[in-house]
Amino acid sequence: MLFYDAHVYAAEPPVINRTELLADSKNFLPVGDLSKQSLVIITPSTTKYEAFIRQAARYAPLAAFSFAALGSVVTQSQVILVVAERSELRSDILSRLRTYAAKGQTIVFCEIGGNSYSLPAGLSADIIHLRNPTKTKSAQRALAMSVFGGLPITSGKIKRSQTRLQYDDGQLKSWGLDVAKMTQKIDAIADEAMKEHATPGMVVMIVKNGAVLLEKAYGFHTYDNMQRTKSNDIFDLASVSKIAATTPLIMHLYETKKVQLDSTLGFYLPAARRSNKAKTSLRTVLLHEGGFEPYIPFYRDLKPGDVQRQSSATHQVQLADHAFLRNEYYEQIMWPKMLASPIKDAGKYVYSDISMYAMKEVAEKVTQEGIEPYLQKWLYSRIGMQTTGYNPRKRFPKDRLIPTENDTIFRNELLQGYVHDQGAAMANGVAGHAGLFASANDLAIYGQMLLNRGTYGGVRYFQSATVDLFTSRQSLTSRRGLGFDRYDMDTSKAYPSRLSNESVYGHTGFTGTCVWIDPKHQLVYIFLSNRVYPDVSNKLYDLNIRSRIQDAIYETINEAK
Protein backbone atom coordinates (compact mmCIF):
# COMPACT_ATOMS: atom_id res chain seq x y z
CA MET A 1 0.00 0.00 0.00
CA LEU A 2 1.39 3.36 -1.03
CA PHE A 3 0.47 6.81 0.11
CA TYR A 4 -0.19 9.48 -2.48
CA ASP A 5 -0.43 13.26 -2.27
CA ALA A 6 -4.22 12.98 -2.62
CA HIS A 7 -4.14 11.59 0.93
CA VAL A 8 -5.89 8.32 0.21
CA TYR A 9 -4.56 4.83 0.54
CA ALA A 10 -4.09 2.26 -2.19
CA ALA A 11 -3.47 -1.31 -1.10
CA GLU A 12 -0.96 -3.53 -2.79
CA PRO A 13 -1.85 -6.33 -2.85
CA PRO A 14 -5.48 -5.14 -2.64
CA VAL A 15 -7.34 -5.58 0.62
CA ILE A 16 -10.39 -7.77 0.14
CA ASN A 17 -13.46 -5.90 1.34
CA ARG A 18 -16.77 -7.34 0.24
CA THR A 19 -18.73 -4.39 1.58
CA GLU A 20 -20.69 -2.55 -1.09
CA LEU A 21 -21.98 1.01 -0.85
CA LEU A 22 -25.37 0.82 -2.54
CA ALA A 23 -26.70 4.30 -1.86
CA ASP A 24 -25.08 7.54 -0.67
CA SER A 25 -26.66 10.42 -2.56
CA LYS A 26 -25.08 13.05 -0.30
CA ASN A 27 -21.55 11.56 -0.44
CA PHE A 28 -21.63 11.33 3.35
CA LEU A 29 -19.35 8.31 3.68
CA PRO A 30 -16.79 7.80 4.95
CA VAL A 31 -17.70 9.78 8.08
CA GLY A 32 -15.60 12.94 8.24
CA ASP A 33 -14.98 15.48 11.02
CA LEU A 34 -16.11 13.68 14.17
CA SER A 35 -16.80 16.88 16.08
CA LYS A 36 -19.53 17.88 13.63
CA GLN A 37 -21.83 14.94 14.26
CA SER A 38 -22.88 12.80 17.18
CA LEU A 39 -23.28 9.13 16.29
CA VAL A 40 -25.35 6.30 17.73
CA ILE A 41 -25.76 2.63 16.79
CA ILE A 42 -29.12 0.89 16.93
CA THR A 43 -29.35 -2.84 16.35
CA PRO A 44 -31.58 -5.83 17.12
CA SER A 45 -28.93 -7.15 19.53
CA THR A 46 -25.86 -5.43 20.92
CA THR A 47 -24.47 -8.89 21.66
CA LYS A 48 -24.96 -10.30 18.17
CA TYR A 49 -23.42 -7.22 16.57
CA GLU A 50 -20.74 -6.60 19.17
CA ALA A 51 -17.97 -6.95 16.58
CA PHE A 52 -19.37 -4.01 14.59
CA ILE A 53 -19.90 -1.93 17.74
CA ARG A 54 -16.40 -2.53 19.09
CA GLN A 55 -14.80 -1.75 15.72
CA ALA A 56 -16.80 1.44 15.24
CA ALA A 57 -15.83 2.56 18.75
CA ARG A 58 -12.18 2.55 17.67
CA TYR A 59 -12.98 5.49 15.43
CA ALA A 60 -15.56 7.57 17.27
CA PRO A 61 -17.29 7.98 20.63
CA LEU A 62 -20.73 6.45 20.29
CA ALA A 63 -23.47 4.66 22.20
CA ALA A 64 -25.20 1.47 21.08
CA PHE A 65 -28.80 0.47 21.80
CA SER A 66 -30.85 -2.58 21.03
CA PHE A 67 -34.16 -2.04 19.28
CA ALA A 68 -35.89 -3.00 22.53
CA ALA A 69 -34.08 -0.29 24.51
CA LEU A 70 -34.01 2.74 22.25
CA GLY A 71 -33.28 5.81 24.36
CA SER A 72 -33.80 9.52 23.95
CA VAL A 73 -30.16 9.86 22.89
CA VAL A 74 -31.15 8.39 19.52
CA THR A 75 -33.48 11.30 18.75
CA GLN A 76 -30.68 13.72 19.72
CA SER A 77 -27.99 12.09 17.56
CA GLN A 78 -27.24 13.50 14.14
CA VAL A 79 -26.12 10.18 12.63
CA ILE A 80 -27.85 6.85 13.28
CA LEU A 81 -26.05 3.66 12.25
CA VAL A 82 -28.59 0.87 11.85
CA VAL A 83 -26.80 -2.49 12.02
CA ALA A 84 -29.01 -5.46 11.21
CA GLU A 85 -30.07 -8.11 8.77
CA ARG A 86 -32.90 -6.97 6.53
CA SER A 87 -35.31 -9.45 8.08
CA GLU A 88 -34.69 -7.94 11.54
CA LEU A 89 -36.12 -4.54 10.58
CA ARG A 90 -39.60 -4.85 12.04
CA SER A 91 -42.36 -2.52 10.88
CA ASP A 92 -42.17 -0.43 14.06
CA ILE A 93 -38.42 0.08 13.56
CA LEU A 94 -38.97 1.06 9.92
CA SER A 95 -41.54 3.57 11.10
CA ARG A 96 -39.09 5.05 13.60
CA LEU A 97 -36.42 5.31 10.93
CA ARG A 98 -38.80 7.21 8.68
CA THR A 99 -39.48 9.60 11.56
CA TYR A 100 -35.79 10.11 12.24
CA ALA A 101 -35.11 10.79 8.56
CA ALA A 102 -37.99 13.27 8.36
CA LYS A 103 -36.41 15.22 11.24
CA GLY A 104 -33.19 15.57 9.26
CA GLN A 105 -31.14 12.87 10.98
CA THR A 106 -28.74 10.94 8.77
CA ILE A 107 -29.59 7.23 8.61
CA VAL A 108 -26.90 4.74 7.60
CA PHE A 109 -28.26 1.22 7.10
CA CYS A 110 -25.38 -1.25 7.58
CA GLU A 111 -26.86 -4.45 6.27
CA ILE A 112 -25.42 -7.79 7.31
CA GLY A 113 -25.96 -10.58 4.79
CA GLY A 114 -28.65 -10.60 2.10
CA ASN A 115 -28.46 -10.16 -1.64
CA SER A 116 -30.88 -7.33 -2.41
CA TYR A 117 -29.58 -4.12 -3.88
CA SER A 118 -32.62 -2.08 -2.88
CA LEU A 119 -33.53 -0.43 0.41
CA PRO A 120 -36.13 -2.09 2.61
CA ALA A 121 -39.63 -1.10 1.56
CA GLY A 122 -40.84 2.14 3.08
CA LEU A 123 -37.44 3.78 3.60
CA SER A 124 -36.70 7.00 1.75
CA ALA A 125 -34.16 7.09 -1.04
CA ASP A 126 -31.84 9.48 0.80
CA ILE A 127 -30.94 6.82 3.40
CA ILE A 128 -27.35 5.61 3.08
CA HIS A 129 -27.12 1.88 2.45
CA LEU A 130 -24.11 -0.43 2.84
CA ARG A 131 -24.16 -4.19 2.67
CA ASN A 132 -21.72 -6.97 3.38
CA PRO A 133 -23.01 -10.30 2.02
CA THR A 134 -21.57 -12.51 4.77
CA LYS A 135 -22.67 -12.87 8.38
CA THR A 136 -19.30 -13.32 10.10
CA LYS A 137 -17.65 -11.17 12.76
CA SER A 138 -15.01 -10.25 10.19
CA ALA A 139 -17.78 -8.98 7.92
CA GLN A 140 -19.11 -6.84 10.76
CA ARG A 141 -15.67 -5.37 11.36
CA ALA A 142 -15.14 -4.72 7.65
CA LEU A 143 -18.53 -3.01 7.44
CA ALA A 144 -17.69 -0.75 10.40
CA MET A 145 -14.29 0.10 8.94
CA SER A 146 -15.96 0.95 5.63
CA VAL A 147 -18.30 3.41 7.36
CA PHE A 148 -15.39 5.32 8.88
CA GLY A 149 -12.91 4.99 6.03
CA GLY A 150 -10.73 2.33 7.61
CA LEU A 151 -11.13 0.17 4.51
CA PRO A 152 -11.58 1.33 0.94
CA ILE A 153 -14.86 0.31 -0.68
CA THR A 154 -13.93 -1.17 -4.03
CA SER A 155 -16.84 -3.55 -4.72
CA GLY A 156 -19.90 -2.35 -6.61
CA LYS A 157 -20.53 0.86 -8.50
CA ILE A 158 -19.86 3.38 -5.71
CA LYS A 159 -16.22 3.52 -4.59
CA ARG A 160 -14.70 5.10 -1.53
CA SER A 161 -11.08 5.58 -0.49
CA GLN A 162 -9.41 4.69 2.79
CA THR A 163 -9.11 7.75 5.02
CA ARG A 164 -8.47 6.28 8.50
CA LEU A 165 -6.54 3.45 10.10
CA GLN A 166 -7.28 -0.09 9.04
CA TYR A 167 -7.36 -2.57 11.91
CA ASP A 168 -5.93 -5.90 10.83
CA ASP A 169 -7.99 -8.66 12.45
CA GLY A 170 -5.67 -11.44 11.28
CA GLN A 171 -7.54 -12.04 8.04
CA LEU A 172 -6.65 -8.90 6.15
CA LYS A 173 -3.54 -8.57 4.01
CA SER A 174 -0.20 -7.71 5.63
CA TRP A 175 1.68 -6.88 2.43
CA GLY A 176 4.13 -9.74 2.52
CA LEU A 177 5.33 -9.08 6.06
CA ASP A 178 5.87 -12.02 8.39
CA VAL A 179 3.88 -10.48 11.22
CA ALA A 180 3.85 -13.72 13.20
CA LYS A 181 7.66 -13.89 13.25
CA MET A 182 7.92 -10.20 14.15
CA THR A 183 5.44 -10.69 16.98
CA GLN A 184 7.46 -13.60 18.38
CA LYS A 185 10.57 -11.40 18.48
CA ILE A 186 8.70 -8.58 20.20
CA ASP A 187 7.10 -11.02 22.66
CA ALA A 188 10.56 -12.25 23.67
CA ILE A 189 11.87 -8.70 24.22
CA ALA A 190 8.77 -7.77 26.22
CA ASP A 191 9.09 -10.91 28.35
CA GLU A 192 12.71 -10.02 29.08
CA ALA A 193 11.73 -6.49 30.13
CA MET A 194 9.13 -7.74 32.57
CA LYS A 195 11.27 -10.57 33.91
CA GLU A 196 14.08 -8.08 34.62
CA HIS A 197 11.62 -5.66 36.26
CA ALA A 198 12.32 -2.97 33.67
CA THR A 199 8.56 -2.34 33.65
CA PRO A 200 5.55 -4.29 34.95
CA GLY A 201 3.70 -3.97 31.66
CA MET A 202 3.59 -2.27 28.28
CA VAL A 203 1.64 -1.76 25.07
CA VAL A 204 3.25 -2.02 21.64
CA MET A 205 1.47 -0.75 18.54
CA ILE A 206 2.75 -0.84 14.96
CA VAL A 207 1.11 0.77 11.94
CA LYS A 208 2.39 0.10 8.43
CA ASN A 209 0.90 1.65 5.29
CA GLY A 210 -2.16 2.78 7.17
CA ALA A 211 -2.90 -0.64 8.67
CA VAL A 212 -2.43 -1.74 12.27
CA LEU A 213 -0.10 -4.73 12.14
CA LEU A 214 0.29 -5.19 15.87
CA GLU A 215 -1.49 -3.84 18.92
CA LYS A 216 -0.60 -5.88 21.94
CA ALA A 217 -0.60 -5.43 25.69
CA TYR A 218 1.91 -7.20 27.94
CA GLY A 219 2.15 -7.79 31.66
CA PHE A 220 0.29 -6.03 34.43
CA HIS A 221 -0.30 -2.57 35.83
CA THR A 222 1.97 -3.37 38.79
CA TYR A 223 4.27 -6.16 39.95
CA ASP A 224 1.57 -7.66 42.15
CA ASN A 225 0.06 -9.09 38.92
CA MET A 226 -3.45 -8.16 39.95
CA GLN A 227 -4.62 -6.21 36.88
CA ARG A 228 -3.58 -7.12 33.38
CA THR A 229 -2.51 -4.39 31.02
CA LYS A 230 -4.97 -3.79 28.18
CA SER A 231 -4.23 -2.29 24.80
CA ASN A 232 -6.66 0.58 25.46
CA ASP A 233 -5.18 1.51 28.85
CA ILE A 234 -4.16 5.13 29.30
CA PHE A 235 -0.53 6.02 30.03
CA ASP A 236 1.31 9.09 31.28
CA LEU A 237 3.16 10.16 28.11
CA ALA A 238 5.74 12.39 29.86
CA SER A 239 7.78 14.25 27.19
CA VAL A 240 5.79 12.76 24.33
CA SER A 241 3.47 15.60 25.40
CA LYS A 242 5.91 17.93 23.65
CA ILE A 243 5.03 16.54 20.21
CA ALA A 244 1.42 15.47 20.82
CA ALA A 245 0.19 18.68 22.46
CA THR A 246 2.41 21.78 22.48
CA THR A 247 4.16 21.34 19.13
CA PRO A 248 1.04 20.63 17.02
CA LEU A 249 -0.64 23.66 18.56
CA ILE A 250 2.35 25.83 17.69
CA MET A 251 2.29 24.32 14.17
CA HIS A 252 -1.35 25.34 13.87
CA LEU A 253 -0.67 28.87 15.11
CA TYR A 254 2.31 29.17 12.75
CA GLU A 255 0.25 28.01 9.81
CA THR A 256 -2.60 30.40 10.60
CA LYS A 257 -0.03 33.22 10.91
CA LYS A 258 -0.74 33.86 14.56
CA VAL A 259 2.89 33.23 15.49
CA GLN A 260 6.13 33.69 13.59
CA LEU A 261 9.05 31.40 14.32
CA ASP A 262 11.57 34.22 14.24
CA SER A 263 9.57 36.49 16.53
CA THR A 264 10.66 36.49 20.16
CA LEU A 265 9.30 35.45 23.51
CA GLY A 266 9.30 39.12 24.46
CA PHE A 267 7.07 39.95 21.50
CA TYR A 268 4.38 37.49 22.64
CA LEU A 269 4.80 37.51 26.42
CA PRO A 270 4.80 40.85 28.25
CA ALA A 271 6.30 39.21 31.35
CA ALA A 272 9.28 38.01 29.28
CA ARG A 273 10.14 41.53 28.08
CA ARG A 274 11.82 42.27 31.39
CA SER A 275 13.81 39.03 31.36
CA ASN A 276 16.98 37.71 29.75
CA LYS A 277 14.72 35.69 27.41
CA ALA A 278 13.10 38.71 25.78
CA LYS A 279 15.05 38.36 22.52
CA THR A 280 14.98 34.55 22.29
CA SER A 281 13.13 33.49 19.13
CA LEU A 282 10.46 30.80 19.07
CA ARG A 283 12.54 28.87 16.56
CA THR A 284 15.45 28.81 19.00
CA VAL A 285 13.19 27.67 21.82
CA LEU A 286 11.71 24.82 19.75
CA LEU A 287 15.22 23.67 18.85
CA HIS A 288 16.28 23.70 22.54
CA GLU A 289 19.03 26.18 21.67
CA GLY A 290 17.95 29.06 23.89
CA GLY A 291 20.42 28.25 26.64
CA PHE A 292 17.60 27.58 29.12
CA GLU A 293 18.01 25.52 32.27
CA PRO A 294 17.27 21.86 31.44
CA TYR A 295 15.14 21.35 34.53
CA ILE A 296 14.16 23.22 37.69
CA PRO A 297 13.10 21.08 40.69
CA PHE A 298 10.34 23.41 41.83
CA TYR A 299 9.02 21.03 44.47
CA ARG A 300 12.20 21.44 46.49
CA ASP A 301 11.32 25.11 47.08
CA LEU A 302 7.97 24.40 48.73
CA LYS A 303 7.42 25.91 52.14
CA PRO A 304 5.33 24.59 55.04
CA GLY A 305 1.69 25.13 54.25
CA ASP A 306 2.12 25.22 50.47
CA VAL A 307 0.82 21.64 50.19
CA GLN A 308 -1.85 20.01 52.34
CA ARG A 309 -3.63 16.66 52.31
CA GLN A 310 -7.16 18.02 51.85
CA SER A 311 -8.65 20.39 49.31
CA SER A 312 -9.73 23.80 50.58
CA ALA A 313 -10.64 27.22 49.22
CA THR A 314 -6.95 28.15 49.26
CA HIS A 315 -5.54 24.80 48.06
CA GLN A 316 -7.29 23.54 44.94
CA VAL A 317 -4.39 22.45 42.71
CA GLN A 318 -4.58 18.67 43.03
CA LEU A 319 -1.20 16.96 42.81
CA ALA A 320 -2.37 13.46 43.78
CA ASP A 321 -5.22 11.81 45.67
CA HIS A 322 -4.15 13.38 48.96
CA ALA A 323 -1.96 16.32 47.97
CA PHE A 324 -3.22 19.84 47.20
CA LEU A 325 -1.04 22.82 46.31
CA ARG A 326 -1.99 26.36 47.18
CA ASN A 327 -3.72 28.33 44.46
CA GLU A 328 -1.75 30.41 41.93
CA TYR A 329 1.56 28.81 42.89
CA TYR A 330 2.52 28.33 39.25
CA GLU A 331 1.66 31.90 38.31
CA GLN A 332 3.23 33.51 41.37
CA ILE A 333 6.33 31.35 41.91
CA MET A 334 7.13 28.92 39.11
CA TRP A 335 6.71 30.97 35.95
CA PRO A 336 8.55 34.02 37.35
CA LYS A 337 11.38 31.72 38.46
CA MET A 338 11.64 30.30 34.93
CA LEU A 339 11.81 33.77 33.44
CA ALA A 340 14.50 34.77 35.94
CA SER A 341 16.59 31.63 35.43
CA PRO A 342 20.04 32.07 33.84
CA ILE A 343 20.87 31.58 30.18
CA LYS A 344 23.99 29.54 29.47
CA ASP A 345 25.51 28.57 26.12
CA ALA A 346 22.76 30.07 23.96
CA GLY A 347 22.98 28.66 20.45
CA LYS A 348 24.08 25.23 21.63
CA TYR A 349 21.70 22.29 21.92
CA VAL A 350 20.68 21.79 25.55
CA TYR A 351 17.46 19.80 25.95
CA SER A 352 15.23 21.84 28.26
CA ASP A 353 11.78 21.34 29.73
CA ILE A 354 11.69 25.09 30.35
CA SER A 355 11.52 25.55 26.57
CA MET A 356 8.15 23.88 26.35
CA TYR A 357 6.80 25.61 29.45
CA ALA A 358 7.53 28.79 27.51
CA MET A 359 5.89 27.57 24.29
CA LYS A 360 2.70 26.72 26.19
CA GLU A 361 2.67 30.26 27.58
CA VAL A 362 3.00 31.65 24.05
CA ALA A 363 0.19 29.44 22.74
CA GLU A 364 -2.18 30.43 25.53
CA LYS A 365 -1.38 34.13 25.19
CA VAL A 366 -2.02 34.06 21.45
CA THR A 367 -5.20 31.98 21.59
CA GLN A 368 -6.43 33.56 24.84
CA GLU A 369 -7.51 30.07 25.81
CA GLY A 370 -6.03 27.23 27.83
CA ILE A 371 -4.02 24.74 25.84
CA GLU A 372 -6.23 21.83 26.94
CA PRO A 373 -9.65 23.07 25.77
CA TYR A 374 -8.11 24.43 22.59
CA LEU A 375 -6.50 21.09 21.71
CA GLN A 376 -9.66 19.16 22.52
CA LYS A 377 -11.75 21.40 20.29
CA TRP A 378 -9.36 21.88 17.40
CA LEU A 379 -7.68 18.46 17.19
CA TYR A 380 -8.48 15.60 19.56
CA SER A 381 -12.29 15.52 19.27
CA ARG A 382 -12.24 16.04 15.52
CA ILE A 383 -9.70 13.35 14.71
CA GLY A 384 -10.98 10.68 17.09
CA MET A 385 -8.33 10.79 19.84
CA GLN A 386 -10.82 9.82 22.52
CA THR A 387 -8.49 9.28 25.49
CA THR A 388 -5.93 12.04 24.93
CA GLY A 389 -5.83 14.91 27.37
CA TYR A 390 -4.59 16.26 30.66
CA ASN A 391 -5.81 15.30 34.15
CA PRO A 392 -7.47 12.03 33.07
CA ARG A 393 -8.89 11.28 36.52
CA LYS A 394 -11.57 13.84 35.68
CA ARG A 395 -12.70 11.79 32.67
CA PHE A 396 -11.84 8.11 33.10
CA PRO A 397 -12.17 5.39 35.75
CA LYS A 398 -9.03 4.90 37.78
CA ASP A 399 -8.50 1.30 36.64
CA ARG A 400 -7.92 2.42 33.04
CA LEU A 401 -5.02 4.65 34.15
CA ILE A 402 -1.60 3.04 34.47
CA PRO A 403 0.10 3.89 37.80
CA THR A 404 3.55 5.41 37.76
CA GLU A 405 5.79 6.13 40.73
CA ASN A 406 5.16 5.52 44.41
CA ASP A 407 6.30 9.04 45.22
CA THR A 408 7.96 8.98 48.65
CA ILE A 409 9.64 12.40 48.39
CA PHE A 410 7.06 14.91 47.24
CA ARG A 411 3.47 13.62 47.23
CA ASN A 412 3.96 10.60 49.49
CA GLU A 413 1.63 8.22 47.65
CA LEU A 414 1.26 6.11 44.53
CA LEU A 415 0.51 8.22 41.46
CA GLN A 416 -2.32 6.96 39.28
CA GLY A 417 -3.85 9.35 36.79
CA TYR A 418 -1.84 12.29 38.16
CA VAL A 419 1.13 13.40 36.11
CA HIS A 420 4.46 11.96 37.24
CA ASP A 421 6.47 15.09 36.43
CA GLN A 422 6.53 17.26 39.54
CA GLY A 423 6.57 20.59 37.74
CA ALA A 424 3.67 19.65 35.49
CA ALA A 425 1.70 18.53 38.54
CA MET A 426 2.34 21.88 40.23
CA ALA A 427 1.12 23.61 37.06
CA ASN A 428 -2.31 22.05 37.70
CA GLY A 429 -1.42 19.02 35.56
CA VAL A 430 -1.28 21.04 32.34
CA ALA A 431 2.18 21.87 31.04
CA GLY A 432 3.96 22.23 27.73
CA HIS A 433 6.58 19.60 28.38
CA ALA A 434 4.53 16.92 30.20
CA GLY A 435 1.10 16.14 31.56
CA LEU A 436 -0.58 14.53 28.55
CA PHE A 437 -2.11 11.05 28.89
CA ALA A 438 -3.28 8.82 26.03
CA SER A 439 -3.79 5.31 24.75
CA ALA A 440 -1.70 3.73 22.01
CA ASN A 441 -4.59 3.91 19.54
CA ASP A 442 -4.84 7.68 19.92
CA LEU A 443 -1.14 8.08 19.24
CA ALA A 444 -1.46 5.83 16.18
CA ILE A 445 -4.17 8.12 14.82
CA TYR A 446 -1.98 11.17 15.45
CA GLY A 447 1.07 9.49 13.93
CA GLN A 448 -0.84 8.48 10.81
CA MET A 449 -2.09 12.03 10.37
CA LEU A 450 1.53 13.22 10.38
CA LEU A 451 2.52 10.45 7.96
CA ASN A 452 -0.29 11.68 5.72
CA ARG A 453 1.38 15.09 5.93
CA GLY A 454 -1.55 16.73 7.64
CA THR A 455 -4.77 14.90 6.77
CA TYR A 456 -6.82 12.19 8.44
CA GLY A 457 -10.42 11.06 8.09
CA GLY A 458 -10.96 13.43 5.18
CA VAL A 459 -10.01 16.48 7.27
CA ARG A 460 -6.89 18.57 6.75
CA TYR A 461 -5.26 19.66 9.99
CA PHE A 462 -1.99 20.97 8.53
CA GLN A 463 -0.62 21.92 5.18
CA SER A 464 1.96 19.38 4.03
CA ALA A 465 4.69 22.02 4.05
CA THR A 466 4.07 22.71 7.74
CA VAL A 467 4.50 19.05 8.67
CA ASP A 468 7.65 18.85 6.54
CA LEU A 469 9.12 21.96 8.16
CA PHE A 470 8.60 20.97 11.79
CA THR A 471 9.53 17.29 11.43
CA SER A 472 12.66 17.68 9.30
CA ARG A 473 16.09 18.51 10.68
CA GLN A 474 16.20 22.26 11.34
CA SER A 475 19.37 22.66 13.39
CA LEU A 476 23.02 23.00 12.45
CA THR A 477 24.12 21.86 15.90
CA SER A 478 21.80 18.93 16.66
CA ARG A 479 19.55 16.31 15.11
CA ARG A 480 16.40 18.17 16.17
CA GLY A 481 13.39 19.34 14.21
CA LEU A 482 11.10 22.06 15.54
CA GLY A 483 9.74 20.47 18.70
CA PHE A 484 10.31 16.98 17.29
CA ASP A 485 13.25 14.73 18.05
CA ARG A 486 14.80 12.90 15.12
CA TYR A 487 17.10 10.15 13.95
CA ASP A 488 20.69 10.75 14.99
CA MET A 489 23.06 10.89 12.02
CA ASP A 490 25.83 9.59 14.29
CA THR A 491 25.15 5.90 13.68
CA SER A 492 27.26 4.90 16.67
CA LYS A 493 24.43 6.18 18.89
CA ALA A 494 21.90 3.85 17.19
CA TYR A 495 19.16 6.36 17.98
CA PRO A 496 16.30 5.79 18.04
CA SER A 497 17.31 2.31 16.90
CA ARG A 498 20.10 0.52 15.10
CA LEU A 499 18.11 0.08 11.88
CA SER A 500 16.17 3.34 11.73
CA ASN A 501 16.82 5.91 9.01
CA GLU A 502 17.16 9.64 8.47
CA SER A 503 13.44 10.16 7.73
CA VAL A 504 12.45 9.13 11.28
CA TYR A 505 11.04 11.65 13.77
CA GLY A 506 9.15 11.47 17.05
CA HIS A 507 9.97 11.62 20.77
CA THR A 508 10.55 9.59 23.90
CA GLY A 509 9.10 10.09 27.37
CA PHE A 510 10.65 9.72 30.85
CA THR A 511 7.93 7.35 32.05
CA GLY A 512 9.01 4.80 29.43
CA THR A 513 7.18 5.87 26.28
CA CYS A 514 8.00 6.66 22.68
CA VAL A 515 6.40 7.46 19.34
CA TRP A 516 8.51 7.17 16.19
CA ILE A 517 7.23 7.99 12.71
CA ASP A 518 9.03 6.78 9.60
CA PRO A 519 7.90 8.33 6.29
CA LYS A 520 10.33 6.19 4.27
CA HIS A 521 8.58 2.99 5.35
CA GLN A 522 5.16 4.56 6.10
CA LEU A 523 5.54 3.30 9.66
CA VAL A 524 4.33 4.39 13.09
CA TYR A 525 5.85 2.69 16.15
CA ILE A 526 4.39 3.27 19.61
CA PHE A 527 5.71 1.95 22.90
CA LEU A 528 4.00 2.76 26.20
CA SER A 529 5.13 1.56 29.61
CA ASN A 530 5.35 2.60 33.24
CA ARG A 531 9.03 1.90 33.81
CA VAL A 532 9.03 4.38 36.73
CA TYR A 533 6.82 2.05 38.82
CA PRO A 534 7.24 1.66 41.76
CA ASP A 535 10.25 3.95 41.57
CA VAL A 536 12.49 5.25 38.82
CA SER A 537 14.59 2.52 37.23
CA ASN A 538 17.01 2.67 34.30
CA LYS A 539 16.58 -0.97 33.31
CA LEU A 540 14.42 -0.12 30.30
CA TYR A 541 17.35 1.95 29.00
CA ASP A 542 20.02 -0.53 30.05
CA LEU A 543 18.24 -3.38 28.26
CA ASN A 544 17.53 -1.12 25.26
CA ILE A 545 13.97 -2.43 25.11
CA ARG A 546 12.35 0.28 22.98
CA SER A 547 15.10 0.30 20.37
CA ARG A 548 15.30 -3.49 20.10
CA ILE A 549 11.57 -3.71 19.45
CA GLN A 550 11.97 -1.07 16.76
CA ASP A 551 14.80 -3.08 15.23
CA ALA A 552 12.58 -6.17 15.15
CA ILE A 553 10.09 -4.18 13.08
CA TYR A 554 12.77 -3.10 10.61
CA GLU A 555 14.14 -6.63 10.36
CA THR A 556 10.66 -7.78 9.35
CA ILE A 557 10.39 -5.05 6.72
CA ASN A 558 13.86 -5.80 5.34
CA GLU A 559 13.14 -9.53 5.12
CA ALA A 560 10.06 -8.83 3.01
CA LYS A 561 11.99 -6.88 0.37
Side-chain angles (χ1 to χ4, degrees), residues 297-358:
F298 296 105
Y299 71 98
R300 295 179 185 172
D301 296 330
L302 289 166
K303 297 177 181 178
D306 284 340
V307 177
Q308 60 188 35
R309 290 187 59 78
Q310 301 294 331
S311 174
S312 69
T314 58
H315 290 68
Q316 296 181 336
V317 177
Q318 191 163 9
L319 308 171
D321 284 319
H322 305 101
F324 296 83
L325 178 67
R326 69 174 173 85
N327 303 343
E328 306 297 324
Y329 191 90
Y330 173 81
E331 293 82 359
Q332 295 174 3
I333 304 296
M334 293 173 61
W335 179 233
K337 184 168 185 175
M338 284 184 255
L339 289 176
S341 62
I343 286 181
K344 301 176 183 177
D345 298 324
K348 294 184 179 180
Y349 171 63
V350 179
Y351 180 74
S352 169
D353 284 345
I354 309 304
S355 296
M356 285 303 188
Y357 276 107

Side-chain angles (χ1 to χ4, degrees), residues 95-153:
S95 177
R96 283 199 183 211
L97 293 178
R98 288 193 294 270
T99 301
Y100 296 149
K103 292 180 177 179
Q105 292 170 281
T106 300
I107 311 297
V108 183
F109 176 35
C110 304
E111 183 178 0
I112 303 293
N115 53 20
S116 175
Y117 285 85
S118 63
L119 279 168
L123 291 184
S124 59
D126 60 352
I127 287 179
I128 300 162
H129 184 197
L130 300 93
R131 185 195 66 184
N132 193 297
T134 60
K135 298 182 181 181
T136 63
K137 290 182 178 180
S138 290
Q140 290 186 37
R141 287 191 288 267
L143 192 53
M145 285 191 275
S146 299
V147 168
F148 289 95
L151 279 177
I153 300 175

Side-chain angles (χ1 to χ4, degrees), residues 279-451:
K279 297 182 179 180
T280 305
S281 71
L282 303 193
R283 186 188 305 272
T284 302
V285 176
L286 287 166
L287 291 172
H288 296 274
E289 294 177 6
F292 296 174
E293 291 281 326
Y295 165 72
I296 300 175
F298 296 105
Y299 71 98
R300 295 179 185 172
D301 296 330
L302 289 166
K303 297 177 181 178
D306 284 340
V307 177
Q308 60 188 35
R309 290 187 59 78
Q310 301 294 331
S311 174
S312 69
T314 58
H315 290 68
Q316 296 181 336
V317 177
Q318 191 163 9
L319 308 171
D321 284 319
H322 305 101
F324 296 83
L325 178 67
R326 69 174 173 85
N327 303 343
E328 306 297 324
Y329 191 90
Y330 173 81
E331 293 82 359
Q332 295 174 3
I333 304 296
M334 293 173 61
W335 179 233
K337 184 168 185 175
M338 284 184 255
L339 289 176
S341 62
I343 286 181
K344 301 176 183 177
D345 298 324
K348 294 184 179 180
Y349 171 63
V350 179
Y351 180 74
S352 169
D353 284 345
I354 309 304
S355 296
M356 285 303 188
Y357 276 107
M359 295 312 299
K360 170 188 171 285
E361 291 294 328
V362 170
E364 293 189 336
K365 190 68 175 179
V366 170
T367 62
Q368 296 185 323
E369 188 173 358
I371 188 174
E372 179 174 31
Y374 196 100
L375 283 165
Q376 290 291 349
K377 177 176 59 179
W378 163 70
L379 178 61
Y380 301 151
S381 65
R382 297 173 67 201
I383 203 171
M385 295 171 70
Q386 300 178 53
T387 63
T388 305
Y390 296 89
N391 293 312
R393 285 287 291 275
K394 296 179 180 179
R395 297 179 295 129
F396 296 100
K398 188 175 180 179
D399 63 2
R400 279 197 68 186
L401 307 173
I402 301 292
T404 55
E405 187 175 6
N406 184 17
D407 184 352
T408 59
I409 298 175
F410 173 31
R411 286 163 278 188
N412 298 308
E413 61 185 279
L414 177 65
L415 304 176
Q416 188 167 3
Y418 296 100
V419 59
H420 176 264
D421 182 272
Q422 298 96 337
M426 296 168 70
N428 208 15
V430 183
H433 70 296
L436 202 67
F437 288 71
S439 63
N441 186 64
D442 277 18
L443 293 175
I445 290 169
Y446 176 65
Q448 188 63 50
M449 181 271 289
L450 291 174
L451 269 187

